[in-house]
Amino acid sequence: MIKVASYNMRKSIGTDRRRRPERTLEVLLEVDADVIALQEADRRFGAREAVLTQSLLAEHSPWKPVQFGMRARSMGWHGNALLVRKDAEILGCSALHLPTLEPRGAVMADLQVNGQPLRVVGMHLDLSGLWRRRQAHAILTQLADLPPMPTVMMGDLNEWSAERGCLRDFAQHFAFAATGKSFHARRPMARLDRIMASPELAFGEAGVHHSLAARTASDHLPVWAEVRHR
């Protein structure tokens, strides 16, 4: 099994309105996934620098960030970032440009995790349903142009409906993990955060991570799932 997780970390600003990167890292250590897709991982203004610094991850975590090289001090692309175990092999990576009215994007990496090939896409989709569907189409189109590989896609889809909109578009090609409601962290009411897998993969256990730290570290709770190659 490979454990994957997705977390909108809200720039490490908690529900107490305090920015505490070490608390975000505490939550990630509790989840303990092999691959993590982060949203809102960079500061919003200025140099858009990463909230979880290289030194913090290197000294206090088992993960390394996938380097996309988009901005000198940021971790990913439009706040999207990927963390992988330090012993995982990064075969390739790229930023995915999405149609949008506001800054949005997605990131992708081809990995070797626990000896298994895995393509991972992290995303944070638009607040507008129309633009979410356009972004879903753009992601699926770009994936279709690549050599096939077992694929996990995850992130904050911002989709409040149960099976319409971009969820229906993704469901034509990917299965959804039964994670659960992840927003709002203090009183979860919506499944905004999702994990999807291509047909080459099967889901094991999945869920939403509830802990005291998770309920205060962000307005989203992390979602996680175990996947295995069929």
Side-chain angles (χ1 to χ4, degrees):
M1 286 288 186
I2 298 172
K3 187 175 184 180
V4 299
S6 178
Y7 189 28
N8 185 331
M9 55 180 277
R10 200 192 184 197
K11 308 171 187 67
S12 287
I13 299 175
T15 53
D16 58 1
R17 300 183 181 180
R18 298 175 63 189
R19 188 193 303 276
R20 294 180 57 193
E22 69 280 1
R23 182 171 56 186
T24 301
L25 185 57
E26 177 186 351
V27 174
L28 296 178
L29 289 169
E30 291 174 350
V31 177
D32 194 28
D34 298 304
V35 182
I36 304 170
L38 297 174
Q39 302 87 50
E40 300 192 25
D42 297 331
R43 292 176 183 265
R44 185 174 182 181
F45 301 109
R48 308 285 179 90
E49 62 184 340
V51 177
L52 298 176
T53 63
Q54 291 272 9
S55 60
L56 182 65
L57 291 171
E59 296 173 15
H60 301 287
S61 90
W63 303 289
K64 59 186 177 183
V66 176
Q67 300 288 352
F68 296 96
M70 303 303 290
R71 293 190 177 96
R73 299 171 66 181
S74 72
M75 186 185 291
W77 172 241
H78 288 312
N80 293 282
L82 296 175
L83 300 181
V84 299
R85 296 274 185 194
K86 290 175 180 175
D87 61 355
E89 185 178 357
I90 302 171
L91 306 175
C93 64
S94 62
L96 303 181
H97 297 264
L98 304 182
T100 181
L101 289 175
E102 56 182 318
R104 296 285 180 181
V107 290
M108 180 181 68
D110 289 348
L111 309 169
Q112 194 84 10
V113 183
N114 298 340
Q116 300 289 335
L118 186 69
R119 176 172 291 148
V120 178
V121 177
M123 67 187 78
H124 189 184
L125 301 189
D126 208 282
L127 295 174
S128 161
L130 174 62
W131 285 100
R132 281 196 300 273
R133 296 200 68 180
R134 291 175 176 174
Q135 290 162 0
H137 176 74
I139 292 170
L140 292 170
T141 298
Q142 292 178 70
L143 288 178
D145 291 336
L146 298 174
M149 180 181 284
T151 301
V152 168
M153 300 203 300
M154 48 188 172
D156 180 358
L157 272 56
N158 267 320
E159 181 60 71
W160 288 76
S161 69
E163 55 187 16
R164 295 180 295 172
C166 69
L167 298 185
R168 183 167 55 190
D169 299 330
F170 284 128
Q172 296 180 37
H173 308 275
F174 288 79
F176 285 84
T179 47
K181 297 176 180 178
S182 58
F183 181 85
H184 186 278
R186 289 192 170 179
R187 189 178 180 183
M189 301 177 62
R191 300 186 181 197
L192 302 188
D193 304 280
R194 300 278 186 157
I195 297 176
M196 302 167 272
S198 63
E200 302 93 338
L201 299 170
F203 284 115
E205 294 185 10
V208 178
H209 180 72
H210 296 268
S211 71
L212 177 60
R215 289 194 295 271
T216 56
S218 172
D219 56 350
H220 288 247
L221 295 170
V223 296
W224 60 272
E226 294 175 340
V227 296
R228 62 174 174 82
H229 290 67
R230 293 186 184 276

